[in-house]
Amino acid sequence: MRIAMVIPNSGMSQDDLSKRLDHLKSAVRPGTILQFESVTNPMSAIETEFDRQVAGNEIASRIVALRHDGYDAFISWCGVDPGVIAARELVDVPVVGPFQASCLIARSIGFQFSVISSAQNTRMIRQIVASFGLEDSLVETIDIGVPVKNLLEDGNDTAERVSRAVGELAARGRTDAVVLAGMRFFGMRDLLQSPIPIVDPGHAAVGLAEMLVAMRLTHARFSYPAPRAQQQ
């Protein structure tokens, strides 16, 4: 199967993309082909609801443009799932959001979960979780105080901040699993010795996309109806 991961951000070099592909390939099924695709007008970071809406339009438009290129599924390659709902209305194959995939997996392996993010609006994170129908399972959200675009400048500092946040959650004793809300946290789980399961958003998104394709499932048209203009 072929899965396209649509990136709304600017500033990623070919080396950055290769590292992400290598990280993802360690967990994919045999025969799965992963490909990064970029939007027409990339943004430096998505940290607010405004950013999310703008990026969502770009991602949905790019997915529509790619719909005849033989992809079996699409992933909105951003930690807050921009464009996912709109794209599901526009194409007939699965469209997966890493944040939703991570939250669903976290809820599957525990009763309650918490979210660790970069320096984002934590109320926005809570609103997105509520849109998944999982607000009663969310314990808390913690931002580590580093802007999205700066997360990879000092990987050791980011890992230390995430480790400290996980330790705080473990000490409070209410969190069963941790979701990392941000694609620049890729591989972070492997660097941490955590008493709580941590869901890697990249692996969660690719794994869910693979499962939906393998089960020959896609999104229900009753939930995601095609726009009237597209139906005509």
Side-chain angles (χ1 to χ4, degrees):
M1 70 180 76
R2 296 181 66 220
I3 300 173
M5 301 169 292
V6 183
I7 308 173
N9 305 87
S10 60
M12 286 194 194
S13 66
Q14 191 57 49
D15 184 57
D16 292 332
L17 297 179
S18 296
K19 288 179 181 178
R20 284 161 174 75
L21 279 176
D22 290 341
H23 171 67
L24 293 170
K25 287 177 180 177
S26 66
V28 300
R29 304 182 184 199
T32 296
I33 299 172
L34 303 176
Q35 179 69 45
F36 280 114
E37 299 279 1
S38 297
V39 299
T40 304
N41 300 298
M43 304 176 66
S44 61
I46 292 92
E47 296 179 315
T48 66
E49 187 59 37
F50 176 80
D51 297 336
R52 186 169 178 256
Q53 294 299 322
V54 173
N57 291 337
E58 288 287 328
I59 286 176
S61 297
R62 185 63 174 142
I63 287 175
V64 169
L66 294 166
R67 70 187 184 281
H68 299 308
D69 286 13
Y71 287 114
D72 299 293
F74 294 96
I75 295 171
S76 170
W77 197 255
C78 175
V80 289
D81 297 3
V84 168
I85 292 176
R88 287 174 180 172
E89 295 177 346
L90 296 167
V91 298
D92 295 322
V93 299
V95 179
V96 173
F99 190 38
Q100 185 179 39
S102 297
C103 290
L104 292 173
I105 290 171
R107 184 59 184 81
S108 298
I109 61 177
F111 292 110
Q112 300 183 114
F113 65 91
S114 291
V115 176
I116 294 175
S117 72
S118 58
Q120 290 176 312
N121 184 340
T122 56
R123 284 177 292 181
M124 180 181 72
I125 296 291
R126 287 186 169 275
Q127 289 170 349
I128 298 171
V129 172
S131 75
F132 303 153
L134 297 173
E135 64 269 33
D136 291 340
S137 300
L138 178 62
V139 178
E140 60 182 296
T141 62
I142 297 178
D143 80 73
I144 62 170
V146 179
V148 171
K149 60 184 180 181
N150 301 128
L151 282 175
L152 299 181
E153 289 183 357
D154 188 339
N156 291 331
D157 177 67
T158 298
E160 183 178 332
R161 288 170 182 263
V162 172
S163 179
R164 188 160 56 244
V166 171
E168 292 171 1
L169 293 170
R172 288 194 273 276
R174 298 176 57 218
T175 297
D176 300 322
V178 172
V179 168
L180 299 178
M183 306 315 290
R184 297 197 186 195
F185 286 118
F186 85 97
M188 191 66 62
R189 182 187 65 178
D190 299 334
L191 302 177
L192 304 175
Q193 293 183 339
S194 171
I196 307 172
I198 299 174
V199 182
D200 182 290
H203 286 168
V206 171
L208 180 57
E210 287 183 310
M211 184 185 73
L212 290 172
V213 173
M215 295 178 69
R216 292 180 293 179
L217 292 173
T218 192
H219 309 293
R221 276 285 164 241
F222 284 117
S223 296
Y224 303 98
R228 291 187 184 276
Q230 185 169 304
Q231 295 173 12
Q232 297 172 354

